[in-house]
Amino acid sequence: MLLTPSTYSMTWDLDVIFPGGSSSKEFRDHLEKVEKEIHSFEASIKSWDASGSEDSGLSDILEKFQKADSGLEQAESFVSCLQAQNTDDVNANELRGIVTALASQLNTALTHLDKAILEIDDSVWKSLVENEHLNELSFILNERRRQAVDKLSKEEEALINDLAVDGYHGWEEMYDAIVSQLCIPFKENGKEVLLSVGQAQNKFSSLDRQVRKNVFDEWEKAWGKNAELIATTLNHLSGFRLAVYKKRGWNDVLKEALEYNRMSKETLDIMWKVISDNKKPFVEFLKRKAHLLGVEKLNWYDLDAPATDSSKTYTYREGAAFIIDHFGKFGDELSKFAEKAFKGRWIEAEDRPGKRPGGFCTSFPLSSQSRIFMTYSDTYENVSTLAHELGHAFHTYAMKDVHPLNCHYAMNVAETASTFAETIVADAAFEQAKENSEKIALLESKIQNSIAFFMNIHARFLFETRFYEERKKGMVSTERLNQLMEKAQKEAYADSLSQYHPYFWGSKLHFYISDIPFYNFPYTFGYLFSLGIYAQAKKEGKGYEEKYISLLKDTGRMTVEELAKKHLGADLTKEDFWQAAVDLCIKDVEEFLELTK
Ligand SMILES: [Zn+2]
């Protein structure tokens, strides 16, 4: 039974967070307050005498840190929302600069804390993190201490942080600036229009092959025209990163990413191995899809096109009702939460020019709210994206009673809740479908995820690891970047396409996120990890929600290996777990092949 809500607004409400958008006085005041909090945190570290005594003031320091940290997150989220909703908002860009500088200040202060922590004697440290005030935070404290060992001196790390504002994060801003002025010319009804990157991207799912081809040709041209600028940006961003790694004596480019994701190299390697060993069924799917589209081999621009003409569309209201209803079959908390998000205008979904492409979810810790950004144009994919982002928001909500310093979960587990939410909607929709064509379309949409995580993301990972190795030796030319990308794509897609997307290194913003290196494998991890959880949830029925929430609560205070062991009884360093999850995806392919015989 579908709920029948009145129309939901397609634009979000940011005024309840800070009134007045990018000229908000309240927001300026907030930034000043955060700066004071950072100073106060820094001062407390400097006057800290860590030697000997039981707690010796560390609880107090951490409380100050938490305040500054939450305030900064609130500010970062606000600016992200402002920039995304209107790429021409110059005030927002200026605010971004201020927030980045504050983040750097906080980082520097943290470096001081880390070094102070390092100077504490082992036995004193042990009793410190085991005392009743700090025991709850022992995982993150031990983690900080361990990671601090691998870094440079306090002064050197502080200098790096200061230089990073313009020399590192600045390159990410540069990338955003290039992309926001990029237009893709496109002929529509005999008239030429200029599409933003996000609008052009939506055309790749057009049923009309000619439309896809035209937009892809212009797409490649547009990225090609900007390739030198973007390649320079990528080379400098990665160059800074590598220079810092070298100074710290880190040889493995994956070190930071793995630590950030709290996972071992063993886990990562075994995950990719299982995926590489299981490409065949997905190649079969691509072949069948080519056949259904009436072509010999799929082109890159066919990947997002629906293989079947199931033109079922969902208005925003229908999409919302669909999600709320199907979330409800898994659990009441998730469903009630989604409804609150729609009603409370937590979502920016309007289809209009001048918006950033893509989707994201960001949280406002001081308001206990999240905001979701996307562009909704009535497709099932949009419904799926909406469910995905709501999954992220639910993760934050599930952790509402957890100590704020234990709420920082990494990217790989962040994608768990989102993918989980997406899977609920996909499966429920499939079960409900009556027509064969609708079943095929829904299955395809699910398999498209597998293709994305096992092929597209795999290509990004292969490209990025190889690119970084070459970058260690010097600047990598545009031509070489194209070669590396095409080779990685061919390998990841097991040679199943007729044409690839060499400029993908330019069109994918994930290569330019300075805060988080290797923003790719965590997606694949999250996908398979969530499928593992999903399998368990299906077995246990509606009562599983409580267990699911307790798993989410732990995501910020243990390694992924520990998390899997505690809540799923699984060993992530063994093939079995991954194979079982991939098998679920293969089952979808088999069903698809059967239905489209
Ligand atoms: Zn996500």
Side-chain angles (χ1 to χ4, degrees):
M1 188 190 71
L2 287 180
L3 302 169
T4 47
S6 54
T7 315
Y8 293 122
S9 166
M10 287 182 82
T11 55
W12 57 19
D13 181 6
L14 293 182
D15 281 349
V16 295
I17 313 274
F18 296 107
S22 60
S23 40
S24 168
K25 185 179 172 303
E26 283 79 353
F27 185 57
R28 295 269 175 182
D29 292 346
H30 175 74
L31 290 175
E32 271 173 34
K33 194 176 121 244
V34 172
E35 186 164 19
K36 281 195 192 118
E37 284 167 352
I38 295 172
H39 288 320
S40 154
F41 167 52
E42 208 169 5
S44 69
I45 302 166
K46 284 188 178 145
S47 62
W48 182 34
D49 175 22
S51 60
S53 69
E54 273 289 281
D55 182 321
S56 70
L58 187 54
S59 303
D60 182 50
I61 291 175
L62 290 172
E63 208 182 299
K64 290 201 157 97
F65 166 54
Q66 186 249 306
K67 252 195 190 149
D69 187 49
S70 298
L72 182 67
E73 191 182 342
Q74 181 95 354
E76 280 176 331
S77 293
F78 189 64
V79 174
S80 295
C81 290
L82 292 176
Q83 288 187 305
Q85 69 177 2
N86 176 11
T87 52
D88 291 331
D89 189 340
V90 277
N91 282 344
N93 296 342
E94 190 218 322
L95 291 171
R96 168 62 69 195
I98 300 174
V99 168
T100 307
L102 286 175
S104 164
Q105 279 179 39
L106 182 62
N107 239 329
T108 302
L110 271 176
T111 320
H112 293 305
L113 176 64
D114 288 347
K115 289 296 164 184
I117 281 174
L118 258 188
E119 280 157 21
I120 301 173
D121 216 56
D122 272 349
S123 59
V124 177
W125 175 257
K126 217 168 160 258
S127 71
L128 198 60
V129 292
E130 276 167 11
N131 86 33
E132 53 178 331
H133 302 294
L134 295 172
N135 191 25
E136 192 188 357
L137 300 171
S138 64
F139 175 80
I140 60 152
L141 288 173
N142 282 323
E143 184 180 54
R144 290 213 79 86
R145 185 167 148 101
R146 209 178 47 246
Q147 289 178 359
V149 176
D150 286 343
K151 289 192 177 163
L152 297 164
S153 72
K154 201 155 63 175
E155 293 72 23
E156 285 169 308
E157 290 290 341
L159 181 63
I160 290 172
N161 259 318
D162 284 349
L163 296 178
V165 176
D166 289 310
Y168 187 38
H169 308 299
W171 290 111
E172 181 181 342
E173 285 168 39
M174 182 69 189
Y175 176 78
D176 290 340
I178 298 169
V179 174
S180 65
Q181 54 82 48
L182 204 123
C183 290
I184 322 282
F186 182 75
K187 269 213 174 83
E188 217 160 30
N189 311 322
K191 244 186 25 207
E192 188 171 282
V193 290
L194 291 175
L195 303 178
S196 69
V197 168
Q199 288 175 311
Q201 217 148 26
N202 279 343
K203 299 271 180 218
F204 288 130
S205 49
S206 166
L207 278 172
D208 185 343
R209 193 164 201 246
Q210 199 56 44
V211 168
R212 300 197 300 270
K213 185 184 178 330
N214 290 348
V215 85
F216 186 67
D217 288 345
E218 294 297 337
W219 173 267
E220 279 285 282
K221 253 190 249 165
W223 292 106
K225 243 191 252 168
N226 289 276
E228 289 302 325
L229 276 179
I230 303 175
T232 305
T233 304
L234 182 61
N235 271 289
H236 287 310
L237 189 146
S238 54
F240 187 98
R241 185 176 281 162
L242 285 170
V244 172
Y245 289 175
K246 198 175 164 191
K247 287 275 176 227
R248 289 178 184 154
W250 299 358
N251 292 320
D252 186 1
V253 291
L254 286 168
K255 181 182 164 65
E256 188 184 6
L258 285 168
E259 260 167 20
Y260 178 83
N261 284 291
R262 293 173 176 149
M263 71 191 273
S264 70
K265 184 91 191 324
E266 242 180 314
T267 297
L268 179 66
D269 288 343
I270 202 79
M271 180 186 88
W272 284 131
K273 183 190 178 297
V274 169
I275 288 167
S276 297
D277 289 348
N278 285 277
K279 296 265 175 179
K280 202 170 167 280
F282 303 99
V283 171
E284 287 306 312
F285 165 77
L286 292 176
K287 270 190 195 155
R288 176 64 54 84
K289 183 165 168 169
H291 183 77
L292 293 168
L293 290 176
V295 293
E296 184 76 28
K297 241 179 167 182
L298 287 185
N299 195 297
W300 181 273
Y301 58 69
D302 294 320
L303 284 167
D304 288 341
T308 43
D309 188 3
S310 167
S311 46
K312 189 167 166 56
T313 56
Y314 299 76
T315 62
Y316 189 60
R317 201 190 67 138
E318 286 165 349
F322 193 82
I323 287 169
I324 294 166
D325 188 35
H326 292 315
F327 276 1
K329 287 174 187 152
F330 165 69
D332 296 335
E333 290 263 355
L334 182 60
S335 161
K336 268 190 279 176
F337 173 80
E339 196 175 357
K340 190 169 90 178
F342 282 110
K343 277 192 182 148
R345 294 183 61 201
W346 288 20
I347 304 163
E348 167 58 55
E350 197 179 39
D351 186 0
R352 59 162 196 271
K355 272 175 78 164
R356 270 275 164 84
F360 66 79
C361 172
T362 192
S363 63
F364 293 89
L366 303 184
S367 320
S368 303
Q369 292 191 14
S370 293
R371 286 295 177 271
I372 286 165
F373 178 86
M374 67 161 310
T375 299
Y376 192 93
S377 53
D378 294 353
T379 66
Y380 174 75
E381 293 309 321
N382 293 153
V383 179
S384 180
T385 303
L386 209 44
H388 177 105
E389 301 305 341
L390 281 164
H392 279 305
F394 183 70
H395 194 166
T396 308
Y397 167 78
M399 293 179 100
K400 61 184 186 303
D401 303 326
V402 175
H403 191 296
L405 292 180
N406 277 336
C407 284
H408 293 292
Y409 47 82
M411 223 46 240
N412 53 351
V413 282
E415 292 307 332
T416 302
S418 53
T419 318
F420 189 85
E422 225 183 296
T423 312
I424 292 173
V425 167
D427 269 13
F430 183 75
E431 272 158 35
Q432 208 186 45
K434 287 179 191 71
E435 304 288 320
N436 247 6
S437 64
E438 200 190 339
K439 276 187 187 166
I440 293 169
L442 288 165
L443 264 181
E444 192 196 355
S445 158
K446 265 181 93 183
I447 301 166
Q448 291 286 68
N449 279 338
S450 301
I451 300 291
F453 295 121
F454 305 158
M455 291 173 153
N456 189 311
I457 303 273
H458 194 199
R460 296 184 208 181
F461 178 74
L462 293 173
F463 164 80
E464 206 165 19
T465 39
R466 290 164 188 170
F467 161 68
Y468 271 85
E469 285 312 315
E470 294 207 4
R471 182 65 186 86
K472 279 181 183 172
K473 293 173 206 127
M475 298 286 267
V476 183
S477 70
T478 300
E479 201 190 354
R480 183 62 188 150
L481 286 168
N482 283 348
Q483 280 171 1
L484 283 172
M485 183 51 86
E486 199 166 346
K487 186 170 176 282
Q489 289 174 339
K490 270 189 186 153
E491 195 175 324
Y493 284 88
D495 243 328
S496 50
L497 306 181
S498 63
Q499 189 191 356
Y500 295 85
H501 177 12
Y503 283 122
F504 188 70
W505 56 267
S507 72
K508 215 13 112 185
L509 80 97
H510 297 75
F511 298 123
Y512 302 84
I513 298 172
S514 57
D515 271 335
I516 308 164
F518 284 84
Y519 204 116
N520 42 61
F521 67 80
Y523 280 111
T524 305
F525 177 98
Y527 180 59
L528 291 173
F529 191 58
S530 81
L531 284 179
I533 301 168
Y534 189 75
Q536 208 137 333
K538 276 212 116 164
K539 246 190 271 161
E540 297 192 25
K542 210 169 166 176
Y544 191 72
E545 190 176 39
E546 208 178 307
K547 288 185 191 168
Y548 177 61
I549 291 173
S550 68
L551 179 147
L552 293 180
K553 278 184 176 166
D554 270 343
T555 47
R557 56 185 174 212
M558 52 185 75
T559 66
V560 289
E561 286 84 9
E562 288 163 351
L563 193 64
K565 205 169 156 207
K566 178 175 171 188
H567 293 278
L568 305 168
D571 183 352
L572 295 187
T573 62
K574 296 280 180 315
E575 275 186 42
D576 317 9
F577 175 82
W578 303 104
Q579 188 62 52
V582 173
D583 283 345
L584 289 175
C585 308
I586 294 177
K587 222 183 101 237
D588 289 335
V589 172
E590 283 166 354
E591 220 160 338
F592 181 90
L593 293 175
E594 186 60 37
L595 281 170
T596 56
K597 232 185 208 158

